[in-house]
């Protein structure tokens, strides 16, 4: 922290956002905005963290401005301690609207496709034997309200 306060600040920012798999994907520009620092400061902070083995950096694309930052799982992790040797590589992705080529159209995009339903107002019906309660049966009158469909006459 004394050697490079910006690197310490960046490390805290990454750890706070790393999710379950010790990685974050973001552009240097977005990290700079989140830190309130310039892109050059972010580059120096990343270099310090990488050189001191706090993080591993994997470039995404050919420019190197968007990277996956993998946090050393001997330093920070989100799972149980016995699983730290089995880090997975997936990440939360941080995207700034300013970096999107279609940012003017973001509020006007068509919604994504969804699975069709058979009937208006249809809801999922649970089926099968299910699993036994985790620790105790449900209390009378406090059974879960499972989704169902309404039968029409």
């Amino acid at each position: 922290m004394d050697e490079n306060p910006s690197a310490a600040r960046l490390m805290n920012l990454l750890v706070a956002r790393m999710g379950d798999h010790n990685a974050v994907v973001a552009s240097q520009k977005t990290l700079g905005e989140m830190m309130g620092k310039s892109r050059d400061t972010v580059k120096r902070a990343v270099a310090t963290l990488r050189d001191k083995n706090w993080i591993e950096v994997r470039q995404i694309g050919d420019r190197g401005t968007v990277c996956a930052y993998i946090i050393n799982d001997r330093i920070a992790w989100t799972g149980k301690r016995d699983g730290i040797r089995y880090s997975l590589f997936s990440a939360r992705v941080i995207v700034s609207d300013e970096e999107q080529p279609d940012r003017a159209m973001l509020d006007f995009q068509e919604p994504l496709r969804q699975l069709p339903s058979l009937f208006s107002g249809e809801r999922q019906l649970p089926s099968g034997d299910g699993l036994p309660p985790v620790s105790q049966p449900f209390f009378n009158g406090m059974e879960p309200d499972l989704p169902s469909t309404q039968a029409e006459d």
Side-chain angles (χ1 to χ4, degrees):
M1 291 184 132
D2 289 339
E3 182 182 326
N4 189 334
S6 293
R9 187 172 183 181
L10 178 60
M11 183 67 181
N12 285 323
L13 186 142
L14 294 173
V15 169
R17 289 163 178 80
M18 71 183 183
D20 292 337
H21 304 298
N22 283 47
V24 175
V25 175
S27 72
Q28 293 171 349
K29 179 180 178 186
T30 298
L31 292 175
E33 288 171 4
M34 293 171 77
M35 292 174 59
K37 300 289 182 182
S38 71
R39 192 167 154 232
D40 288 336
T41 300
V42 171
K43 286 168 67 173
R44 286 190 298 274
V46 166
T48 298
L49 293 173
R50 184 188 58 233
D51 294 346
K52 302 284 184 180
N53 293 322
W54 288 86
I55 63 173
E56 181 179 337
V57 180
R58 291 286 154 226
Q59 182 174 311
I60 297 174
D62 58 352
R63 292 189 183 161
T65 59
V66 178
C67 296
Y69 301 96
I70 302 119
I71 289 79
N72 182 339
D73 60 9
R74 293 182 183 178
I75 296 166
W77 64 92
T78 58
K80 295 180 180 176
R81 178 124 182 107
D82 63 351
I84 66 173
R85 288 270 191 228
Y86 304 102
S87 292
L88 300 174
F89 184 89
S90 65
R92 285 195 182 172
V93 178
I94 302 171
V95 178
S96 170
D97 64 342
E98 290 182 15
E99 298 173 332
Q100 304 308 307
D102 62 345
R103 71 175 174 230
M105 298 303 297
L106 289 177
D107 292 329
F108 306 103
Q109 293 175 312
E110 280 190 50
L112 296 175
R113 292 181 182 247
Q114 297 180 350
L115 292 175
S117 60
L118 296 176
F119 303 105
S120 174
E122 178 184 47
R123 296 172 73 182
Q124 178 184 2
L125 285 173
S127 63
D129 295 335
L131 298 172
V134 176
S135 60
Q136 67 183 36
F138 298 114
F139 295 114
N140 288 335
M142 299 199 62
E143 293 84 6
D145 185 18
L146 297 176
S148 62
T149 59
Q150 232 176 8
E152 294 184 28
D153 294 326

